Structures are given as C-alpha cells and as structure tokens.
Amino acid sequence: MKVYVLLAPGFETIEALAPVDVLHRAKIDVATVSIAEGREVESSHGVKVTADRVLAGADDLADADLVVLPGGYPGYVNLASDQRVLAIARRQWDSGRLLAAICGAPTVLAAAGIAPGASVACHSSVVSKMAESGYKVTGERVVKDRNLITAAGAGISLHFALALVAALTGGDRQLLQHLYDAMELK
C-alpha cells in the first residue's frame, strides 16, 4: 500500500502529521509530498516540515492507494488552486482508490468537481461552501462515502487517521485494537 499526504504552504500541522504517524505505526508506506517549490513547507502555525519529496506534476502519485488532503488556512486554499492537485484528486476518485480530506480540504473536492452529492464532514468555516456545492454535510466527525473519507478538523485528526487505516486494511480489528491500545485511546 502507498499513501501520499500533500503538504501545501499553510497546512494544519496535526491534520497532516497525525495520519503520517498513525499510518507509520500501522506499517503502511506513507510519504509527505510538498506542492511548493522545495521540500520544506511551513504550516499555518509556522512549523517547518521537510517533505519526503516534491510534487512533480499532475501525472505524479499514480501508484497511490490513498491521497490525503490536510486542511489548515491557507493550506486548503493552496491545494484547491493547484491544478496538479485537482488532477490527482480527480484521478484518485475516478479510479475508485481512496481519497481523504479533513477540515477545509473538502473544498478541494468541490474545486475539482469530485463526488457532488456525497456525504461529507468538514470544518464549520466551509459548511456553507460545501452545501452550496451540492455536498451533504452530515455534522459527523468522520464520514466515509464510497472511496471518499472526510473529517471535521484538527481535534479529530487521530480518529481521521484511524479511519484511514481501517479503510486501507479492510477494518483489520487486531491492528486497529493494537493502535488504540498503543495510543491509549478509549
């Protein structure tokens, strides 16, 4: 399995790195990918992260089993205005492979014209934009609709990450219980 977490300038630190941490704990191959010029990307809170690699183009990441779009402002705006990201998200959705977005990043789905009518979770700041774009905002913390996984925001990052692991592993109960125990989640 191969997972890519896209990092745009202004990404929300915990929304990007909690999934990276949990996926590593689950022994799933995960890499961070900068959509900026270089590998260093600064989060919305000034945390500088060195990505594993830089996005090469719209044809990149074709081997992804899952692409993760973190929120954070202006990170999700930067993701939604990058044509390479929109093309990758469309390809991921169209192929039936997993696509995930948290906080404001579900707006990338709207920008790319992906899955209108789908049930989603998102940050309260983008609820009206998502509803206007034809999505069903459920008010739940994490929502899976077909091959799309969305979550409400930073405080849900661990639950989001665990939902990603569950989707990738077919809900491997033993692995998920191990992760819950290791992180002392109840």
PDB file of all heavy atoms in Angstrom, residues 24 28 33 50 52 56 65 68 70 74 95 97 99 101 125 135-136 144 158-159 168 176 183-184:
ATOM      1  N   HIS A  24       2.358   5.159   9.852  1.00  0.00           N
ATOM      2  CA  HIS A  24       3.659   4.527  10.129  1.00  0.00           C
ATOM      3  C   HIS A  24       3.520   3.445  11.193  1.00  0.00           C
ATOM      4  O   HIS A  24       4.077   2.359  11.055  1.00  0.00           O
ATOM      5  CB  HIS A  24       4.689   5.568  10.596  1.00  0.00           C
ATOM      6  CG  HIS A  24       5.414   6.241   9.478  1.00  0.00           C
ATOM      7  ND1 HIS A  24       6.306   5.579   8.658  1.00  0.00           N
ATOM      8  CD2 HIS A  24       5.404   7.523   9.060  1.00  0.00           C
ATOM      9  CE1 HIS A  24       6.793   6.419   7.774  1.00  0.00           C
ATOM     10  NE2 HIS A  24       6.256   7.614   7.988  1.00  0.00           N
ATOM     11  N   ILE A  28       2.213   1.045   7.255  1.00  0.00           N
ATOM     12  CA  ILE A  28       1.741   1.379   5.910  1.00  0.00           C
ATOM     13  C   ILE A  28       2.702   2.400   5.325  1.00  0.00           C
ATOM     14  O   ILE A  28       3.085   3.359   5.996  1.00  0.00           O
ATOM     15  CB  ILE A  28       0.299   1.917   5.961  1.00  0.00           C
ATOM     16  CG1 ILE A  28      -0.656   0.794   6.414  1.00  0.00           C
ATOM     17  CG2 ILE A  28      -0.124   2.487   4.611  1.00  0.00           C
ATOM     18  CD1 ILE A  28      -2.067   1.234   6.700  1.00  0.00           C
ATOM     19  N   VAL A  33       4.345  14.873   0.580  1.00  0.00           N
ATOM     20  CA  VAL A  33       4.682  15.427  -0.730  1.00  0.00           C
ATOM     21  C   VAL A  33       4.408  16.923  -0.712  1.00  0.00           C
ATOM     22  O   VAL A  33       3.267  17.350  -0.499  1.00  0.00           O
ATOM     23  CB  VAL A  33       3.854  14.765  -1.845  1.00  0.00           C
ATOM     24  CG1 VAL A  33       4.220  15.336  -3.207  1.00  0.00           C
ATOM     25  CG2 VAL A  33       4.041  13.249  -1.823  1.00  0.00           C
ATOM     26  N   THR A  50       9.980  19.162   6.534  1.00  0.00           N
ATOM     27  CA  THR A  50      10.667  18.762   5.309  1.00  0.00           C
ATOM     28  C   THR A  50       9.933  17.551   4.740  1.00  0.00           C
ATOM     29  O   THR A  50       9.938  16.466   5.341  1.00  0.00           O
ATOM     30  CB  THR A  50      12.143  18.412   5.585  1.00  0.00           C
ATOM     31  OG1 THR A  50      12.773  19.547   6.177  1.00  0.00           O
ATOM     32  CG2 THR A  50      12.861  18.043   4.293  1.00  0.00           C
ATOM     33  N   ASP A  52       8.977  14.446   2.222  1.00  0.00           N
ATOM     34  CA  ASP A  52       9.785  13.366   1.653  1.00  0.00           C
ATOM     35  C   ASP A  52      10.156  13.648   0.210  1.00  0.00           C
ATOM     36  O   ASP A  52      11.212  13.235  -0.257  1.00  0.00           O
ATOM     37  CB  ASP A  52       9.025  12.040   1.742  1.00  0.00           C
ATOM     38  CG  ASP A  52       8.777  11.629   3.182  1.00  0.00           C
ATOM     39  OD1 ASP A  52       9.731  11.651   3.989  1.00  0.00           O
ATOM     40  OD2 ASP A  52       7.615  11.308   3.515  1.00  0.00           O
ATOM     41  N   ALA A  56       5.850  16.343  -8.636  1.00  0.00           N
ATOM     42  CA  ALA A  56       6.449  16.534  -9.949  1.00  0.00           C
ATOM     43  C   ALA A  56       5.453  17.111 -10.957  1.00  0.00           C
ATOM     44  O   ALA A  56       5.810  17.933 -11.784  1.00  0.00           O
ATOM     45  CB  ALA A  56       7.018  15.215 -10.467  1.00  0.00           C
ATOM     46  N   ASP A  65      -2.556   4.383  -3.250  1.00  0.00           N
ATOM     47  CA  ASP A  65      -3.754   3.693  -2.774  1.00  0.00           C
ATOM     48  C   ASP A  65      -4.641   4.690  -2.038  1.00  0.00           C
ATOM     49  O   ASP A  65      -5.850   4.510  -1.952  1.00  0.00           O
ATOM     50  CB  ASP A  65      -3.372   2.549  -1.835  1.00  0.00           C
ATOM     51  CG  ASP A  65      -2.618   1.460  -2.561  1.00  0.00           C
ATOM     52  OD1 ASP A  65      -3.229   0.801  -3.423  1.00  0.00           O
ATOM     53  OD2 ASP A  65      -1.407   1.287  -2.297  1.00  0.00           O
ATOM     54  N   VAL A  68      -4.095  11.935   0.786  1.00  0.00           N
ATOM     55  CA  VAL A  68      -4.647  12.668   1.927  1.00  0.00           C
ATOM     56  C   VAL A  68      -4.426  14.164   1.720  1.00  0.00           C
ATOM     57  O   VAL A  68      -3.320  14.606   1.428  1.00  0.00           O
ATOM     58  CB  VAL A  68      -3.978  12.230   3.249  1.00  0.00           C
ATOM     59  CG1 VAL A  68      -4.559  13.003   4.433  1.00  0.00           C
ATOM     60  CG2 VAL A  68      -4.117  10.726   3.451  1.00  0.00           C
ATOM     61  N   PRO A  70      -4.723  17.531   3.788  1.00  0.00           N
ATOM     62  CA  PRO A  70      -4.920  18.191   5.078  1.00  0.00           C
ATOM     63  C   PRO A  70      -5.542  19.569   4.892  1.00  0.00           C
ATOM     64  O   PRO A  70      -5.397  20.192   3.839  1.00  0.00           O
ATOM     65  CB  PRO A  70      -3.513  18.339   5.649  1.00  0.00           C
ATOM     66  CG  PRO A  70      -2.613  17.564   4.755  1.00  0.00           C
ATOM     67  CD  PRO A  70      -3.316  17.408   3.446  1.00  0.00           C
ATOM     68  N   PRO A  74      -3.740  29.049   5.063  1.00  0.00           N
ATOM     69  CA  PRO A  74      -4.339  28.941   3.730  1.00  0.00           C
ATOM     70  C   PRO A  74      -4.008  27.637   2.995  1.00  0.00           C
ATOM     71  O   PRO A  74      -4.145  27.577   1.779  1.00  0.00           O
ATOM     72  CB  PRO A  74      -3.751  30.130   2.994  1.00  0.00           C
ATOM     73  CG  PRO A  74      -2.352  30.227   3.546  1.00  0.00           C
ATOM     74  CD  PRO A  74      -2.490  29.851   5.010  1.00  0.00           C
ATOM     75  N   SER A  95     -10.650   6.505 -10.176  1.00  0.00           N
ATOM     76  CA  SER A  95     -10.092   5.150 -10.183  1.00  0.00           C
ATOM     77  C   SER A  95     -10.713   4.263  -9.108  1.00  0.00           C
ATOM     78  O   SER A  95     -10.482   3.056  -9.103  1.00  0.00           O
ATOM     79  CB  SER A  95      -8.576   5.212  -9.960  1.00  0.00           C
ATOM     80  OG  SER A  95      -8.304   5.560  -8.611  1.00  0.00           O
ATOM     81  N   ARG A  97      -9.883   4.490  -6.029  1.00  0.00           N
ATOM     82  CA  ARG A  97      -8.932   4.401  -4.918  1.00  0.00           C
ATOM     83  C   ARG A  97      -9.258   5.483  -3.896  1.00  0.00           C
ATOM     84  O   ARG A  97      -9.923   6.467  -4.203  1.00  0.00           O
ATOM     85  CB  ARG A  97      -7.502   4.525  -5.434  1.00  0.00           C
ATOM     86  CG  ARG A  97      -7.105   3.277  -6.241  1.00  0.00           C
ATOM     87  CD  ARG A  97      -5.756   3.409  -6.861  1.00  0.00           C
ATOM     88  NE  ARG A  97      -5.882   4.425  -7.912  1.00  0.00           N
ATOM     89  CZ  ARG A  97      -4.857   5.050  -8.466  1.00  0.00           C
ATOM     90  NH1 ARG A  97      -3.640   4.798  -8.081  1.00  0.00           N
ATOM     91  NH2 ARG A  97      -5.051   5.950  -9.401  1.00  0.00           N
ATOM     92  N   LEU A  99      -9.488   8.564  -1.349  1.00  0.00           N
ATOM     93  CA  LEU A  99      -9.174   9.982  -1.315  1.00  0.00           C
ATOM     94  C   LEU A  99      -9.704  10.501   0.012  1.00  0.00           C
ATOM     95  O   LEU A  99     -10.847  10.207   0.376  1.00  0.00           O
ATOM     96  CB  LEU A  99      -9.850  10.699  -2.487  1.00  0.00           C
ATOM     97  CG  LEU A  99      -9.680  12.207  -2.581  1.00  0.00           C
ATOM     98  CD1 LEU A  99      -8.204  12.593  -2.738  1.00  0.00           C
ATOM     99  CD2 LEU A  99     -10.503  12.749  -3.749  1.00  0.00           C
ATOM    100  N   ALA A 101      -9.900  13.925   2.903  1.00  0.00           N
ATOM    101  CA  ALA A 101      -9.741  15.363   3.123  1.00  0.00           C
ATOM    102  C   ALA A 101     -10.290  15.705   4.503  1.00  0.00           C
ATOM    103  O   ALA A 101     -11.328  15.181   4.908  1.00  0.00           O
ATOM    104  CB  ALA A 101     -10.477  16.149   2.042  1.00  0.00           C
ATOM    105  N   SER A 125     -16.225  26.335   9.137  1.00  0.00           N
ATOM    106  CA  SER A 125     -15.969  27.517   8.300  1.00  0.00           C
ATOM    107  C   SER A 125     -16.254  27.284   6.818  1.00  0.00           C
ATOM    108  O   SER A 125     -16.368  28.249   6.061  1.00  0.00           O
ATOM    109  CB  SER A 125     -14.525  27.994   8.471  1.00  0.00           C
ATOM    110  OG  SER A 125     -13.616  27.008   8.000  1.00  0.00           O
ATOM    111  N   TYR A 135     -22.867  19.160  -1.703  1.00  0.00           N
ATOM    112  CA  TYR A 135     -22.492  18.075  -0.795  1.00  0.00           C
ATOM    113  C   TYR A 135     -23.455  18.025   0.386  1.00  0.00           C
ATOM    114  O   TYR A 135     -24.034  19.039   0.765  1.00  0.00           O
ATOM    115  CB  TYR A 135     -21.049  18.257  -0.305  1.00  0.00           C
ATOM    116  CG  TYR A 135     -20.060  18.144  -1.428  1.00  0.00           C
ATOM    117  CD1 TYR A 135     -19.697  19.262  -2.167  1.00  0.00           C
ATOM    118  CD2 TYR A 135     -19.517  16.919  -1.781  1.00  0.00           C
ATOM    119  CE1 TYR A 135     -18.817  19.171  -3.230  1.00  0.00           C
ATOM    120  CE2 TYR A 135     -18.628  16.808  -2.844  1.00  0.00           C
ATOM    121  CZ  TYR A 135     -18.284  17.941  -3.560  1.00  0.00           C
ATOM    122  OH  TYR A 135     -17.418  17.831  -4.614  1.00  0.00           O
ATOM    123  N   LYS A 136     -23.617  16.838   0.956  1.00  0.00           N
ATOM    124  CA  LYS A 136     -24.450  16.656   2.149  1.00  0.00           C
ATOM    125  C   LYS A 136     -23.524  16.690   3.361  1.00  0.00           C
ATOM    126  O   LYS A 136     -22.825  15.710   3.642  1.00  0.00           O
ATOM    127  CB  LYS A 136     -25.187  15.319   2.090  1.00  0.00           C
ATOM    128  CG  LYS A 136     -26.157  15.216   0.946  1.00  0.00           C
ATOM    129  CD  LYS A 136     -26.755  13.813   0.884  1.00  0.00           C
ATOM    130  CE  LYS A 136     -27.487  13.658  -0.431  1.00  0.00           C
ATOM    131  NZ  LYS A 136     -27.380  12.314  -0.966  1.00  0.00           N
ATOM    132  N   LYS A 144     -17.297   8.328   5.773  1.00  0.00           N
ATOM    133  CA  LYS A 144     -16.808   7.592   4.604  1.00  0.00           C
ATOM    134  C   LYS A 144     -17.986   7.416   3.666  1.00  0.00           C
ATOM    135  O   LYS A 144     -19.015   6.869   4.049  1.00  0.00           O
ATOM    136  CB  LYS A 144     -16.233   6.232   4.998  1.00  0.00           C
ATOM    137  CG  LYS A 144     -15.635   5.490   3.799  1.00  0.00           C
ATOM    138  CD  LYS A 144     -14.894   4.247   4.223  1.00  0.00           C
ATOM    139  CE  LYS A 144     -14.154   3.605   3.085  1.00  0.00           C
ATOM    140  NZ  LYS A 144     -14.939   3.148   1.965  1.00  0.00           N
ATOM    141  N   LEU A 158      -6.714  12.220  15.020  1.00  0.00           N
ATOM    142  CA  LEU A 158      -6.417  10.815  15.325  1.00  0.00           C
ATOM    143  C   LEU A 158      -7.530   9.895  14.842  1.00  0.00           C
ATOM    144  O   LEU A 158      -7.265   8.830  14.278  1.00  0.00           O
ATOM    145  CB  LEU A 158      -6.189  10.615  16.818  1.00  0.00           C
ATOM    146  CG  LEU A 158      -4.804  10.967  17.336  1.00  0.00           C
ATOM    147  CD1 LEU A 158      -4.739  10.817  18.851  1.00  0.00           C
ATOM    148  CD2 LEU A 158      -3.725  10.139  16.667  1.00  0.00           C
ATOM    149  N   HIS A 159      -8.768  10.299  15.033  1.00  0.00           N
ATOM    150  CA  HIS A 159      -9.905   9.490  14.555  1.00  0.00           C
ATOM    151  C   HIS A 159      -9.878   9.391  13.028  1.00  0.00           C
ATOM    152  O   HIS A 159     -10.159   8.329  12.464  1.00  0.00           O
ATOM    153  CB  HIS A 159     -11.225  10.081  15.041  1.00  0.00           C
ATOM    154  CG  HIS A 159     -11.332  10.088  16.527  1.00  0.00           C
ATOM    155  ND1 HIS A 159     -11.591   8.955  17.267  1.00  0.00           N
ATOM    156  CD2 HIS A 159     -11.186  11.085  17.418  1.00  0.00           C
ATOM    157  CE1 HIS A 159     -11.612   9.250  18.544  1.00  0.00           C
ATOM    158  NE2 HIS A 159     -11.365  10.539  18.671  1.00  0.00           N
ATOM    159  N   LEU A 168      -7.873   1.243   4.589  1.00  0.00           N
ATOM    160  CA  LEU A 168      -6.779   0.605   3.847  1.00  0.00           C
ATOM    161  C   LEU A 168      -6.624  -0.876   4.171  1.00  0.00           C
ATOM    162  O   LEU A 168      -6.188  -1.653   3.325  1.00  0.00           O
ATOM    163  CB  LEU A 168      -5.459   1.322   4.139  1.00  0.00           C
ATOM    164  CG  LEU A 168      -5.279   2.679   3.487  1.00  0.00           C
ATOM    165  CD1 LEU A 168      -4.114   3.430   4.133  1.00  0.00           C
ATOM    166  CD2 LEU A 168      -5.047   2.542   1.984  1.00  0.00           C
ATOM    167  N   LEU A 176      -6.214  -2.435  14.421  1.00  0.00           N
ATOM    168  CA  LEU A 176      -6.863  -1.242  14.979  1.00  0.00           C
ATOM    169  C   LEU A 176      -6.854  -1.270  16.501  1.00  0.00           C
ATOM    170  O   LEU A 176      -6.579  -0.253  17.146  1.00  0.00           O
ATOM    171  CB  LEU A 176      -8.281  -1.096  14.435  1.00  0.00           C
ATOM    172  CG  LEU A 176      -8.341  -0.724  12.951  1.00  0.00           C
ATOM    173  CD1 LEU A 176      -9.750  -0.921  12.410  1.00  0.00           C
ATOM    174  CD2 LEU A 176      -7.869   0.698  12.728  1.00  0.00           C
ATOM    175  N   MET A 183      -1.882   3.957  21.601  1.00  0.00           N
ATOM    176  CA  MET A 183      -2.089   5.398  21.771  1.00  0.00           C
ATOM    177  C   MET A 183      -2.962   5.709  22.985  1.00  0.00           C
ATOM    178  O   MET A 183      -3.303   6.855  23.226  1.00  0.00           O
ATOM    179  CB  MET A 183      -2.691   5.978  20.493  1.00  0.00           C
ATOM    180  CG  MET A 183      -1.725   5.923  19.331  1.00  0.00           C
ATOM    181  SD  MET A 183      -2.362   6.714  17.852  1.00  0.00           S
ATOM    182  CE  MET A 183      -3.463   5.449  17.259  1.00  0.00           C
ATOM    183  N   GLU A 184      -3.334   4.638  23.717  1.00  0.00           N
ATOM    184  CA  GLU A 184      -4.157   4.769  24.910  1.00  0.00           C
ATOM    185  C   GLU A 184      -5.476   5.516  24.641  1.00  0.00           C
ATOM    186  O   GLU A 184      -5.903   6.351  25.420  1.00  0.00           O
ATOM    187  CB  GLU A 184      -3.374   5.400  26.058  1.00  0.00           C
ATOM    188  CG  GLU A 184      -2.209   4.522  26.480  1.00  0.00           C
ATOM    189  CD  GLU A 184      -1.570   4.939  27.783  1.00  0.00           C
ATOM    190  OE1 GLU A 184      -2.141   5.760  28.508  1.00  0.00           O
ATOM    191  OE2 GLU A 184      -0.486   4.403  28.069  1.00  0.00           O
TER     192      GLU A 184
END
